[in-house]
Amino acid sequence: MNQQQPNQHPLQQPPKKRGVGKIVGIGCAGVFGLFVLIGALGAAVSGGSDGSGGGNGGGKVGAAQEARGTSSDSKPEVEAQVPVTLSAEKAAFVKSLLADGTEHTSVLVTVANSGDQEVDVNPLYFAITDTNGTKHAAELAADENQIDTVKLAPGENISGSVTGKGSFTPKHVTFTDGFLGDPIRADVS
């Protein structure tokens, strides 16, 4: 027995339903494509360098080193663009209450805002590269003297420890102003 909808001819088919899943899938693919495009444009604009390679580096990394007087070239127009001055020196690891029992290596860093806008400082914005070229992410809350999370006004500076897990000899520290900013590197003295 064939059941019909009222006012529907027996040979007429009901209208087809649109695939909601297809529409959602195409929308998600479009959003993903947009993010990939934005990431590619960001990498092209920033030059795609993370500043962790060898050499003097480029952009703000080289300018930061010039501002500290570690380069023989003098480019005043580049120095004026450097918003942050970074210095780093070896420091003793001071175990905090939250540190686990593993070995850690600490570096005392000083970040100075030499620009005209606020600079965000966060322990997550630092990485330590050892003498073997291995990059160590900052280990949170391991050292009692960990650098604070702050906003530095123009002319202000802050010092504190950046700590990596394990025992190693630190070669340089990299600071990135925010997760998408340009990296600035300082050799550990």
Side-chain angles (χ1 to χ4, degrees):
M1 181 173 202
N2 191 5
Q3 292 183 346
Q4 296 185 48
Q5 298 270 338
N7 298 330
Q8 185 177 2
H9 190 271
L11 297 177
Q12 186 180 22
Q13 294 182 352
K16 291 187 178 183
K17 295 181 181 178
R18 293 193 137 208
V20 175
K22 289 181 185 178
I23 294 171
V24 170
I26 290 171
C28 289
V31 170
F32 178 73
L34 180 64
F35 282 126
V36 170
L37 179 63
I38 290 171
L41 288 174
V45 169
S46 69
S49 173
D50 67 353
S52 62
N56 202 17
K60 291 183 183 177
V61 175
Q65 290 173 340
E66 288 173 17
R68 289 192 320 268
T70 58
S71 175
S72 61
D73 296 337
S74 178
K75 298 181 183 177
E77 67 277 1
V78 176
E79 284 183 32
Q81 296 176 0
V82 177
V84 173
T85 303
L86 179 67
S87 64
E89 58 187 65
K90 294 178 184 176
F93 171 66
V94 181
K95 183 179 176 181
S96 74
L97 294 173
L98 300 175
D100 59 14
T102 61
E103 291 187 66
H104 290 83
T105 301
S106 290
V107 175
L108 177 65
V109 297
T110 300
V111 180
N113 182 355
S114 55
D116 57 359
Q117 295 182 354
E118 283 188 338
V119 173
D120 289 324
V121 177
N122 186 315
L124 294 173
Y125 297 170
F126 292 90
I128 305 170
T129 303
D130 65 23
T131 53
N132 295 325
T134 303
K135 190 177 248 186
H136 302 265
E139 193 72 22
L140 295 179
D143 194 312
E144 269 187 27
N145 301 320
Q146 174 177 292
I147 194 161
D148 291 328
T149 300
V150 296
K151 287 186 181 286
L152 288 181
E156 290 184 332
N157 65 59
I158 188 168
S159 294
S161 292
V162 175
T163 304
K165 196 170 217 170
S167 178
F168 56 89
T169 304
K171 182 175 181 181
H172 58 262
V173 174
T174 305
F175 168 76
T176 305
D177 181 11
F179 289 113
L180 301 175
D182 291 329
I184 298 172
R185 188 171 74 180
D187 292 333
V188 177
S189 59

